[in-house]
Amino acid sequence: MAPPAEITIPTTSLHTPADNSKPYTLYNITLRLPLRTFVVQKRYSDFATLHQNLTALVGNPPPTLLPGKSWFKSTVSSPELTEDRRRGLESYLRAIAESPDRRWRDTPAWRTFLNLPSMSSTGNSAASVRAGYGIPSRDAANVAAAQDPGTWLDLHGEMKRDFQEARRCLARRDSAMDNSTALEAGSAAKKALVKAGGLLTVLGDGLRAMEDAKRLGEGEIRRRKDLLAAARVEREDLEKLSTTVSAAMKASQKAMPSAADKAALIGNGPKARGRVLGAPLPETERTRELDNQGVVQLQRQMMKEQDEDVEELAKIIRRQREMAQAIHHEVEVQNEMLDHVNSQADTLTGKVNVAKNRVKKLS
């Protein structure tokens, strides 16, 4: 059974084909289903074809007549005709959707016209309508949907889901153990970010159009602008995270240890040959050419150098201590001077008060 749908045609759009042929009017049909709200764009000839198919399949015309075609005016140049036809087409669709007789609604022509799932489909309507939004393209339908207050919020929710998908893909890429999985997850994250960026642009344009048409209050306009600002920050953060982590992954791959480094780390590497004096220490360049006496002298020399370094360090510490003591003494002197200034200020304040009292008595 088809889900109950609330059908409206709130706006129209003027479409010019890519081949610069004659422009025509698209009617933005908004469907509000239990799980999703979406927009389908159709031109008048599509409504005429639908009317013919419904009449042929059911055997009777729909409960409301289709608005007639005008031979002397065009909706492209006549806003009055466009508005009258929009209201007539909306009444035509709502009469079919709200009629107790389900014969027209159960036909494949009706469901195909509105991009609804077929009667034999077990999937939900949201999955089915993602396949297409009608003519001329889904991008154009998104533009129309962004100019409706209700569908604007649905597009915003879809953009947030794209951000969440990008974040999940980045997390999957970071935890991937092989390059192929990491590349696949990174590509999916970029695809989700591109889609979200497109929706963000469309939402901004749609909000400006609604603000110019005064279809929303000032408070709601400000709230939605704040939502878009937060979405822009989130997109920038995800893009930076994607670029930064990608660079880090490349650097880590370049810095992978070699087999010799791994062998040396676990103790299986080649061992140095040479004389060892009482300890399992390897030979160095300074001891390789020395005999036992030379090694002892070298050890004494190194100990002497270390003692000299310790003495130099002790001298530095003493100088630091002397400087700290001098600073402490200077602070104490400054405190005494400040105390003296405070006492002098108190004395001066008392004298000023006495002078004021005398002036009051004289006056």
Side-chain angles (χ1 to χ4, degrees):
M1 180 180 295
E6 178 185 351
I7 302 178
T8 58
I9 306 179
T11 58
T12 61
S13 303
L14 183 62
H15 176 69
T16 302
D19 56 359
N20 294 327
S21 58
K22 185 178 179 180
Y24 53 84
T25 301
L26 289 174
Y27 298 90
N28 305 318
I29 307 171
T30 302
L31 286 87
R32 290 180 172 85
L33 302 178
L35 300 179
R36 178 176 168 81
T37 300
F38 64 99
V39 173
V40 179
Q41 289 187 305
K42 299 293 182 180
R43 57 186 300 183
Y44 178 79
S45 59
D46 297 322
F47 284 90
T49 303
L50 172 67
H51 184 75
Q52 295 176 0
N53 293 336
L54 292 179
T55 304
L57 291 172
V58 178
N60 293 318
T64 299
L65 295 178
L66 184 72
K69 184 176 181 61
S70 176
W71 298 100
F72 303 102
K73 292 183 179 180
S74 173
T75 56
V76 176
S77 57
S78 176
E80 295 81 5
L81 177 61
T82 302
E83 179 61 21
D84 292 341
R85 183 171 291 177
R86 183 196 65 79
R87 289 197 298 265
L89 294 176
E90 183 180 79
S91 301
Y92 175 79
L93 294 179
R94 296 186 66 173
I96 298 175
E98 299 173 0
S99 174
D101 192 347
R102 302 183 52 88
R103 290 180 297 168
W104 297 282
R105 293 197 301 271
D106 292 340
T107 59
W110 171 261
R111 309 187 71 81
T112 302
F113 179 81
L114 296 178
N115 287 348
L116 294 172
S118 62
M119 297 295 292
S120 59
S121 175
T122 58
N124 58 29
S125 59
S128 301
V129 299
R130 286 181 180 273
Y133 276 73
I135 59 174
S137 66
R138 182 178 178 181
D139 292 336
N142 285 342
V143 172
Q147 298 179 7
D148 181 80
T151 53
W152 191 96
L153 294 175
D154 293 291
L155 287 179
H156 180 269
E158 185 174 352
M159 178 189 64
K160 295 292 291 182
R161 289 190 292 273
D162 291 333
F163 283 144
Q164 294 174 0
E165 178 64 20
R167 197 176 296 276
R168 285 194 295 267
C169 291
L170 290 175
R172 189 167 66 251
R173 183 196 63 180
D174 296 342
S175 60
M177 302 301 294
D178 56 288
N179 291 335
S180 60
T181 304
L183 291 175
E184 182 180 356
S187 177
K190 291 181 180 179
K191 182 178 179 181
L193 286 176
V194 169
K195 182 182 175 184
L199 288 177
L200 182 58
T201 303
V202 170
L203 288 172
D205 296 339
L207 185 59
R208 283 190 292 272
M210 289 189 290
E211 184 178 9
D212 295 338
K214 297 182 179 180
R215 302 186 64 186
L216 291 173
E218 294 182 0
E220 182 64 16
I221 290 291
R222 287 195 298 269
R223 187 182 75 86
R224 298 194 181 193
K225 286 182 177 180
D226 293 339
L227 291 177
L228 293 181
R232 293 188 185 96
V233 173
E234 185 175 3
R235 184 188 63 174
E236 292 176 359
D237 292 342
L238 288 173
E239 289 178 349
K240 291 179 181 178
L241 180 63
S242 175
T243 305
T244 304
V245 175
S246 297
M249 289 179 60
K250 293 179 180 179
S252 63
Q253 291 176 358
K254 292 180 180 179
M256 289 295 290
S258 62
D261 295 335
K262 294 179 180 179
L265 180 63
I266 62 177
N268 296 330
K271 298 181 179 179
R273 296 181 180 180
R275 173 178 31 79
V276 178
L277 300 177
L281 298 176
E283 290 281 330
T284 64
E285 296 296 330
R286 299 181 67 180
T287 61
R288 194 177 302 279
E289 303 298 330
L290 300 177
D291 55 4
N292 293 340
Q293 189 66 27
V295 171
V296 173
Q297 292 179 358
L298 177 61
Q299 185 179 10
R300 291 176 180 175
Q301 180 182 355
M302 294 176 63
M303 293 176 65
K304 183 179 179 181
E305 293 174 354
Q306 293 175 358
D307 293 336
E308 293 175 354
D309 292 338
V310 171
E311 290 179 359
E312 291 294 330
L313 181 60
K315 292 179 181 179
I316 294 174
I317 294 175
R318 283 194 295 270
R319 285 196 297 269
Q320 293 290 338
R321 181 181 178 182
E322 293 172 356
M323 292 174 61
Q325 291 176 347
I327 293 173
H328 178 69
H329 177 71
E330 182 67 20
V331 169
E332 289 181 347
V333 173
Q334 294 291 336
N335 288 335
E336 292 177 358
M337 294 175 64
L338 290 174
D339 293 337
H340 179 70
V341 171
N342 289 333
S343 63
Q344 293 294 327
D346 294 337
T347 303
L348 181 61
T349 302
K351 292 181 179 180
V352 170
N353 293 332
V354 172
K356 288 182 178 179
N357 293 330
R358 289 180 179 177
V359 170
K360 290 181 180 179
K361 291 180 180 180
L362 292 176
S363 61

